[in-house]
Amino acid sequence: MKIYFAVMAHNDEEMFSRLVDSLAPHPVIAHIDAKREVRGFRAGLTSFRSASVHFVNDRCPVHWGGFSVVEAMMKCVDALPSEANEGDYVVFLSGNCYPLRPLPEFVEAISASDGGVFCRAYDLRSSDQRWDMKRVTRRHWFDLRGTLQGFIPPLAARILRKFMAAVSRSQKIPDTLQPVAGSQWMALPVACAREAVAAIRTSEFRFLRNSYAPDEMAFQTFVHNSRWSSKTIAGGLESTQNGKVSGLQNFHYLRDDMNGYVSSSDVTSGIEANDFFIRKIRSSQQEILGQIDARITQGSSS
């Protein structure tokens, strides 16, 4: 079994390099937001690390909350080498993720799952949060707002997005699909990931094009409407409180409030929870990164 880490980065070249170092010797498929130059992300890598990193050539501009995030994920799957076996894994990370435990322990957990799918999710239709279904029935136009921000002031782009959302017709969800939501940070067998990409590109999944944060719904909806649902670690859909995917993390420590970057106490909580990764973290947080590295070194030597 081989693990491919699909890393989607849009800033902080130094943090990207540090993350890639921590993932060695496993191969990394890197999608760099098309709004940024790849040169800076390549520059921080040593020649040894560069050999294990493949930068996606067919990049897209990524906008928060938009379908463009899903496009970036799919392009990472497209970029998997032809020799990748169906039983190998794709692990999705952001450029601001970082391991909390020695990587061999994560690899062992994936291997021990015997082909399991790390994709926890809950049913949007059964949620007691009225907002959940509005994520998919309303059109939210986040990619439109992001595209316009380079041409008109951000506030004007935001107002236009909200206006478009208010006047747009509701989106119809196919009767064949049960929409679900879960963390974007998943680990999928290569066969599952490739099937998901093929399905998401069909008209059946078109209703997610202008949904709210489809990166939390697209792959997850495919998985839990397919044969792969029974292979998930939970064996199917779960329940969540307050419609928050942070309660259904796969291998990350996720805070309820994901605004801003992690604190030292967040790292401590993640370590105590025995989670494998944490986000969001940046390269300037040297003290926190040192705290994590010391813990990993201690774990590797014990």
Side-chain angles (χ1 to χ4, degrees):
M1 181 198 71
K2 196 169 188 176
I3 291 182
Y4 296 88
F5 287 95
V7 177
M8 288 148 289
H10 68 282
N11 64 3
D12 201 342
E13 292 90 340
E14 184 180 342
M15 189 66 226
F16 172 79
S17 299
R18 190 161 186 161
L19 172 62
V20 169
D21 281 351
S22 74
L23 299 176
H26 300 279
V28 172
I29 309 293
H31 180 281
I32 308 302
D33 189 337
K35 300 190 300 294
R36 298 293 300 266
E37 290 286 342
V38 176
R39 188 182 307 112
F41 291 87
R42 289 184 186 273
L45 302 179
T46 65
S47 58
F48 172 74
R49 301 296 184 228
S50 297
S52 65
V53 180
H54 170 75
F55 287 90
V56 175
N57 292 320
D58 181 22
R59 300 182 294 142
C60 61
V62 179
H63 306 292
W64 185 92
F67 193 80
S68 53
V69 185
V70 179
E71 291 283 8
M73 296 172 69
M74 294 195 293
K75 288 179 183 296
C76 286
V77 176
D78 290 340
L80 287 169
S82 57
E83 64 267 21
N85 295 319
E86 290 191 349
D88 292 337
Y89 274 79
V90 183
V91 177
F92 293 101
L93 299 175
S94 80
N96 295 103
C97 293
Y98 203 62
L100 286 175
R101 294 169 59 181
L103 201 61
E105 294 181 7
F106 176 68
V107 175
E108 182 180 353
I110 297 289
S111 180
S113 73
D114 193 25
V117 179
F118 293 75
C119 179
R120 302 174 68 192
Y122 70 99
D123 179 7
L124 289 175
R125 283 180 170 145
S126 66
S127 171
D128 59 1
Q129 302 296 311
R130 293 180 60 190
W131 164 246
D132 276 346
M133 282 304 294
K134 289 183 179 180
R135 291 180 62 172
V136 290
T137 56
R138 291 185 62 184
R139 300 173 191 265
H140 295 273
W141 303 101
F142 280 109
D143 284 317
L144 173 65
R145 184 188 74 171
T147 300
L148 291 176
Q149 279 185 349
F151 302 94
I152 63 176
L155 178 59
R158 181 179 180 183
I159 292 172
L160 178 60
R161 182 193 74 81
K162 287 186 174 293
F163 171 78
M164 292 289 292
V167 302
S168 298
R169 290 189 301 172
S170 296
Q171 301 188 112
K172 180 175 173 54
I173 303 170
D175 296 333
T176 53
L177 288 180
Q178 178 182 26
V180 310
S183 172
Q184 175 189 1
W185 316 113
M186 303 167 285
L188 308 178
V190 166
C192 175
R194 285 173 169 163
E195 288 179 25
V197 169
I200 294 167
R201 286 181 172 147
T202 67
S203 59
E204 191 176 25
F205 281 75
R206 190 172 296 155
F207 73 98
L208 290 173
R209 289 278 166 175
N210 275 303
S211 60
Y212 188 108
D215 52 288
E216 296 180 346
M217 298 182 286
F219 280 79
Q220 298 84 342
T221 294
F222 165 77
V223 166
H224 288 281
N225 284 268
S226 72
R227 63 188 175 94
W228 296 101
S229 183
S230 63
K231 297 180 182 295
T232 57
I233 303 306
L237 292 170
E238 303 174 67
S239 60
T240 186
Q241 294 181 344
N242 302 322
K244 291 185 177 181
V245 301
S246 57
L248 295 177
Q249 75 276 19
N250 296 301
F251 42 83
H252 274 70
Y253 173 74
L254 299 176
R255 297 167 294 148
D256 283 345
D257 180 7
M258 289 304 296
N259 292 324
Y261 291 90
V262 298
S263 65
S264 180
S265 61
D266 292 325
V267 171
T268 299
S269 296
I271 291 173
E272 291 175 348
N274 214 27
D275 290 317
F276 288 104
F277 288 86
I278 193 169
R279 65 180 312 274
K280 306 172 178 177
I281 192 165
R282 54 186 171 183
S283 59
S284 60
Q285 295 178 288
Q286 291 295 318
E287 184 175 346
I288 290 177
L289 286 165
Q291 173 189 356
I292 296 173
D293 288 342
R295 193 267 181 182
I296 291 176
T297 300
Q298 181 181 14
S300 298
S301 59
S302 61

